[in-house]
Amino acid sequence: MPSSNSTRPRLPLIVLLVTLFALPVHAQFPFLKPKAEAPTAAAAAEPVDPRTKAEAQLAEARRQQEAGQTKPGPGSDAQGLLVSDRQRILDRLVIAFIEQLSLLDELDELRRSPPEDPRKQALTADFAGPPPYSALRVDAVRDEHEAVKQRLQRLMATERALETLKAGQVEEQRRASEAIRLAEDKLTRTKGQEEVEKGRQTLEMATLRRQLAEANLANIGLSQNRSALEMKGLKTFSTEIEHLLARVLPEQRLSKDELEQQQALLRKELSRLNSEVDAVVAANTRRAAERERLVKVVARADSTAQEARQLQLVEAKLETERIQLMTLTWLQILVQGTSDAWAQRYVGLQSEDAATRQAVITGLSQARAELASRKQIFEELQQAARAEVRDQELRVDVGTSDATSAAYQAELLATMKERLLAYQRVERISSRLQQQLERWLDDFGFQGKSAGSEDWKLVALQLAQTMKGIWNFEMFAVEDSTLIDGKTVTVSYGVTIGKSIGALLLFLIGYWLFALLARRLQRLMVTRFKVDEQVAIVVRRWAMIALGLVLLVFILNLARIPLTAFAFMGGALAIGIGFGTQTIIKNVISGIIILFERKIRVGDIIALGGMTGRVVAVDLRASTVRGFDGVEAVVPNSSFLENQVVNWTYSDTRRRREIRIGIAYGSPVREAAEIIIGCAEDHGQVLKKPPPEVYFEDFGDSALLMVLVYWGELANDSRRIDSDLRFAIEKRLGAAGIAMPFPQRDVHLATSQPLAVRLAPAGESGGSAA
């Protein structure tokens, strides 16, 4: 262990963390110091150099450590455990003070010269001149930026871990402080030299644990200060790199020499991969021959278990070599793809033509998509290989008593690790290529000056390319078989989005034109050929259905979409039509019957299901009936055939109406009848033929009942006619002195016997005896 600051080792922070977690519960961090070590007021007023304090504490810890090592052995087991525990705490205390001095050195170094300054100066010097700038140097700046961001992420994770550790240690320190207070109190109450000595040793141990806790907490604080200072410098450096990239990215250029340099490196890498492939193939050939020999040996009856294990190991190595050949082939494809991507990047950075840049973007995008699909396979295979390595490591850790079996398991683990390394190599190179493609595609956006005023053209080309891809996207393909010269020729047709949209637009336009022609035909049938309007509507609708079907078949053939494309839906459609449209078909057929029979027509007044109204529309599926209260009801056509329908205007629009009048007994009945008939004859909406009539209907309880019967057109408001007639009848009968009595009752008293009269005293209920 060094004795001077100049030779102190710089221990990593992980040693401190392991030390903290390795301490037992009784060795955590008390806050309180012993009274003998309490600082005086004068010492507290003077500032203490952290380095000087740490060096003094380190020297004292080393002195106590050496004194404990030279101290004679204890007399009892309990005292021996106490002394060994004290020695362990002193060892950790020395390590903690050494780490504290190391952290102080690192903090001083960071304050004097942050590590970002030399890199910042180098980057500024590379791009101090006028543009254009080297694309390779720009890539180096991007790599530097990625490294800074990853370093910041690690520092933030370390900061969170330190905070969690500090919170836990503070709680442990509180418990240790309570333990020290209990030890001091117990020492003051202890009697006997042996007990006092034991209490003194316990208090000394508590003091050492508190010193260790203070040192560890100080180290955590120094680590946090170092992380904060480093993060501050890295954030500033990252911001400056981002500003630098924003300035130089639009001005980057890839020269021909730089392209040739990259292509030469890639060719060299490809040549090396070819050499590796040849070496693996040669080794695989030798191992295959060895496997054939071992197969014959194992097949013998006198073969041993060791020879069987050798065969299994050879087969495992053959599988490893197969995977290595596969991954080397993938690496060759990746290197070739990288070379093509560099060539496309060169073309895109050198050209100012929007179409050329769009072609470069398309090529790089396709390469990125292919790489993403392959990378998913790499990751799945790598995960499987990693799982095999973990399982084999567990077998090796368990171990066997047989040295040969242990060696076999170790060799098997080594060959499995070679498979994992092969997959990791592919994953590393593919990730690098994916990162490059992402960067280059961002470079060919619309921010750089290289695009200039041509940006809108590039946008238009990109949109056109995207729309073209969507338009030509194949949803599914169908096969159409045709018999030619006795041979069946099968042709495959692709149904794309463009074909489907085009066919739909053509159908809508054609259907709209056919609808115009059908309406013109309906008007001609009604006006020129005197066809009934309802018949003309039926003809127009059936013509539209037929023309729609013909138009659909024509457009599908024009768009080269065979009808067999919809054959797979035949079963589902048949079931759906059978169960879901049976009611619709029933109503449509009923509507056709109604339209042709003309039992119910538009304008008829009907009564159906407790509703009375005028028919305003008769369609194929349902008819519309408007009640006299203005409410319209949609009635399925099948209801007209399945239920009884009253058609008030089917053959005659005249309807008979009745008005009942009561006159007083003793009134002149003939005169009253003539007055009532005169009122009906004078009304203009009462028909003359048949003429109105008055009937003496009955002798009522309170009046003589007369009935006026007249005929009127149903189209007229019958309630208004009845009201007018009642007004006129009431007026004329009143003028003639003929009264219309109200209901009357006659009460008759039997006077043949005297009435019984009884007196009841006041306060009693009626009906009780006096």
Side-chain angles (χ1 to χ4, degrees):
M1 191 172 295
S3 59
S4 63
N5 295 339
S6 59
T7 60
R8 283 197 307 271
R10 298 168 61 87
L11 298 179
L13 182 59
I14 189 62
V15 175
L16 169 63
L17 301 181
V18 172
T19 303
L20 290 175
F21 284 115
L23 286 175
V25 175
H26 66 274
Q28 298 305 317
F29 319 128
F31 283 109
L32 302 178
K33 296 184 178 180
K35 296 179 180 179
E37 297 181 2
T40 62
E46 296 178 359
V48 180
D49 183 21
R51 180 178 299 280
T52 304
K53 180 180 179 181
E55 290 174 352
Q57 290 173 338
L58 176 61
E60 177 64 21
R62 282 176 175 167
R63 186 189 63 78
Q64 295 182 16
Q65 185 184 34
E66 294 173 358
Q69 292 174 353
T70 59
K71 189 175 181 179
S76 64
D77 294 340
Q79 291 180 350
L81 291 175
L82 195 62
V83 171
S84 61
D85 194 9
R86 176 180 180 276
Q87 194 64 30
R88 284 194 299 271
I89 294 176
L90 286 172
D91 294 340
R92 293 172 184 144
L93 193 61
V94 170
I95 294 174
F97 287 137
I98 292 174
E99 178 66 20
Q100 189 173 132
L101 291 172
S102 177
L103 290 171
L104 288 172
D105 291 339
E106 292 178 5
L107 279 173
D108 292 340
E109 186 177 353
L110 283 174
R111 292 190 183 100
R112 286 194 305 268
S113 176
E116 294 82 13
D117 289 345
R119 292 180 290 175
K120 186 190 308 181
Q121 295 174 2
L123 293 177
T124 306
D126 290 338
F127 299 99
Y133 303 111
S134 170
L136 298 182
R137 295 302 307 157
V138 173
D139 291 343
V141 175
R142 285 172 163 174
D143 294 338
E144 185 71 26
H145 191 215
E146 289 292 332
V148 169
K149 289 196 295 184
Q150 292 177 3
R151 176 62 180 162
L152 279 172
Q153 292 176 356
R154 289 194 296 269
L155 286 174
M156 287 188 288
T158 303
E159 185 70 20
R160 291 192 296 269
L162 288 174
E163 283 294 333
T164 303
L165 181 60
K166 185 177 180 180
Q169 296 304 322
V170 166
E171 176 63 21
E172 293 297 333
Q173 189 180 30
R174 183 188 64 79
R175 296 177 183 175
S177 300
E178 294 178 358
I180 289 177
R181 289 193 296 270
L182 291 176
E184 290 177 346
D185 183 65
K186 184 177 180 181
L187 183 61
T188 58
R189 292 183 288 103
T190 301
K191 296 180 181 181
Q193 186 174 358
E194 184 179 354
E195 294 296 329
V196 169
E197 180 64 22
K198 184 177 179 181
R200 187 189 61 79
Q201 290 179 358
T202 303
L203 183 59
E204 183 184 2
M205 289 291 298
T207 303
L208 290 176
R209 292 187 187 111
R210 184 184 60 189
Q211 290 176 358
L212 180 59
E214 291 176 350
N216 288 332
L217 287 175
N219 289 347
I220 292 176
L222 290 174
S223 299
Q224 288 179 329
N225 293 337
R226 184 189 61 181
S227 298
L229 187 61
E230 190 173 356
M231 280 194 297
K232 180 180 179 182
L234 288 176
K235 288 179 180 178
T236 304
F237 185 48
S238 176
T239 304
E240 293 178 355
I241 292 179
E242 290 176 357
H243 293 164
L244 179 62
L245 287 174
R247 179 173 65 87
V248 301
L249 274 178
E251 305 295 343
Q252 64 174 329
R253 291 293 183 275
L254 184 63
S255 64
K256 187 69 175 177
D257 295 338
E258 291 174 337
L259 176 63
E260 290 296 334
Q261 177 184 354
Q262 293 298 319
Q263 297 287 14
L265 292 175
L266 293 172
R267 285 193 296 270
K268 183 178 179 180
E269 177 68 17
L270 192 60
S271 177
R272 188 171 63 83
L273 290 174
N274 292 333
S275 300
E276 290 184 22
V277 170
D278 296 337
V280 173
V281 169
N284 186 265
T285 303
R286 293 192 300 269
R287 211 173 303 278
E290 183 181 359
R291 177 184 177 279
E292 293 179 358
R293 181 184 64 81
L294 289 173
V295 168
K296 296 178 181 179
V297 172
V298 173
R300 295 200 305 262
D302 58 346
S303 62
T304 62
Q306 182 177 0
E307 291 172 343
R309 285 196 294 266
Q310 289 179 355
L311 177 59
Q312 293 176 358
L313 185 60
V314 168
E315 290 178 345
K317 290 183 177 180
L318 282 173
E319 177 65 17
T320 300
E321 290 168 353
R322 185 191 67 80
I323 292 174
Q324 288 176 342
L325 284 175
M326 179 181 65
T327 55
L328 287 172
T329 303
W330 287 347
L331 287 174
Q332 290 174 336
I333 295 174
L334 288 175
V335 171
Q336 187 60 46
T338 305
S339 178
D340 297 339
W342 274 99
Q344 291 181 355
R345 185 191 186 192
Y346 172 77
V347 173
L349 290 176
Q350 294 296 327
S351 177
E352 298 289 340
D353 182 54
T356 303
R357 293 181 63 198
Q358 175 57 34
V360 170
I361 292 174
T362 303
L364 293 178
S365 300
Q366 292 176 354
R368 180 181 61 178
E370 294 176 0
L371 180 61
S373 62
R374 289 177 177 269
K375 191 175 180 182
Q376 185 177 3
I377 301 175
F378 302 158
E379 293 175 352
E380 292 176 357
L381 293 175
Q382 184 178 351
Q383 291 176 359
R386 188 177 288 109
E388 291 179 354
V389 169
R390 285 197 301 267
D391 295 340
Q392 187 62 26
E393 286 176 345
L394 290 175
R395 297 189 189 99
V396 173
D397 292 339
V398 170
T400 59
S401 58
D402 187 3
T404 305
S405 299
Y408 164 72
Q409 295 292 343
E411 289 189 37
L412 195 59
L413 176 61
T415 188
M416 289 182 177
K417 286 183 177 179
E418 290 178 2
R419 301 176 192 176
L420 181 59
L421 289 175
Y423 288 130
Q424 289 175 347
R425 184 180 178 185
V426 174
E427 196 273 336
R428 183 173 60 255
I429 295 180
S430 62
S431 297
R432 175 61 179 171
L433 178 57
Q434 186 178 21
Q435 183 186 44
Q436 289 177 337
L437 292 175
E438 294 288 348
R439 289 177 178 177
W440 298 346
L441 285 171
D442 290 340
D443 292 343
F444 295 127
F446 317 113
Q447 294 85 8
K449 294 181 181 178
S450 57
S453 60
E454 302 295 326
D455 276 351
W456 67 272
K457 295 182 180 179
L458 186 57
V459 174
L461 287 171
Q462 287 182 338
L463 290 176
Q465 190 74 17
T466 303
M467 294 302 297
K468 184 178 179 181
I470 296 175
W471 185 265
N472 295 326
F473 178 76
E474 186 178 61
M475 297 185 293
F476 56 90
V478 293
E479 293 183 353
D480 190 15
S481 299
T482 305
L483 190 63
I484 300 177
D485 296 335
K487 297 182 180 180
T488 303
V489 178
T490 303
V491 182
S492 180
Y493 294 99
V495 180
T496 63
I497 292 180
K499 283 185 179 181
S500 303
I501 295 176
L504 180 61
L505 291 176
L506 287 176
F507 181 80
L508 292 177
I509 295 173
Y511 194 83
W512 176 70
L513 292 175
F514 283 156
L516 292 179
L517 294 176
R519 283 193 290 270
R520 178 72 60 86
L521 176 63
Q522 178 183 348
R523 287 196 297 269
L524 289 176
M525 291 173 64
V526 173
T527 57
R528 180 171 298 182
F529 299 101
K530 307 302 180 182
V531 178
D532 187 77
E533 186 174 0
Q534 293 299 315
V535 176
I537 291 175
V538 173
V539 172
R540 177 178 67 83
R541 289 175 177 171
W542 279 103
M544 284 300 301
I545 294 174
L547 290 175
L549 293 175
V550 173
L551 179 64
L552 179 62
V553 174
F554 173 75
I555 290 176
L556 290 177
N557 289 331
L558 183 64
R560 300 183 65 83
I561 300 177
L563 293 177
T564 54
F566 308 99
F568 68 95
M569 297 186 297
L573 288 176
I575 296 174
I577 291 174
F579 289 97
T581 63
Q582 56 182 351
T583 303
I584 297 176
I585 294 175
K586 179 177 68 173
N587 289 324
V588 170
I589 295 175
S590 300
I592 295 172
I593 295 173
I594 291 172
L595 290 172
F596 277 99
E597 285 187 350
R598 302 185 67 192
K599 299 292 185 181
I600 297 174
R601 295 165 295 182
V602 175
D604 287 351
I605 298 176
I606 64 170
L608 175 65
M611 178 181 179
T612 303
R614 189 183 301 275
V615 179
V616 296
V618 179
D619 296 324
L620 286 178
R621 188 191 67 84
S623 299
T624 304
V625 179
R626 179 181 294 155
F628 294 120
D629 56 358
V631 178
E632 293 182 344
V634 178
V635 182
N637 289 330
S638 59
S639 300
F640 294 107
L641 302 182
E642 296 173 354
N643 301 317
Q644 181 179 358
V645 182
V646 177
N647 193 338
W648 292 64
T649 57
Y650 176 66
S651 60
D652 191 0
T653 59
R654 298 181 303 169
R655 286 294 175 268
R656 188 186 67 179
R657 302 283 297 175
E658 294 180 356
I659 299 178
R660 285 174 171 75
I661 308 101
I663 60 176
Y665 276 92
S667 301
V669 179
R670 291 291 181 182
E671 182 180 357
E674 292 175 358
I675 293 173
I676 294 172
I677 291 176
C679 292
E681 291 176 348
D682 293 341
H683 197 285
Q685 293 181 342
V686 175
L687 297 179
K688 307 303 180 181
K689 292 182 180 180
E693 296 178 327
V694 175
Y695 297 96
F696 190 166
E697 186 177 41
D698 199 359
F699 295 96
D701 293 338
S702 303
L704 302 173
L705 300 181
M706 313 289 290
V707 178
L708 170 64
V709 179
Y710 72 92
W711 291 77
E713 292 289 342
L714 191 60
N716 298 328
D717 190 353
S718 57
R719 296 181 65 183
R720 174 60 59 186
I721 298 174
D722 291 348
S723 177
D724 294 342
L725 290 176
R726 289 188 179 97
F727 277 119
I729 291 172
E730 189 274 337
K731 182 178 180 181
R732 292 189 183 183
L733 289 178
I738 299 175
M740 293 182 182
F742 49 85
Q744 300 176 10
R745 293 291 184 270
D746 292 338
V747 179
H748 300 276
L749 296 177
T751 60
S752 58
Q753 296 179 356
L755 296 176
V757 178
R758 289 179 295 181
L759 299 177
E764 292 187 5
S765 58
S768 61

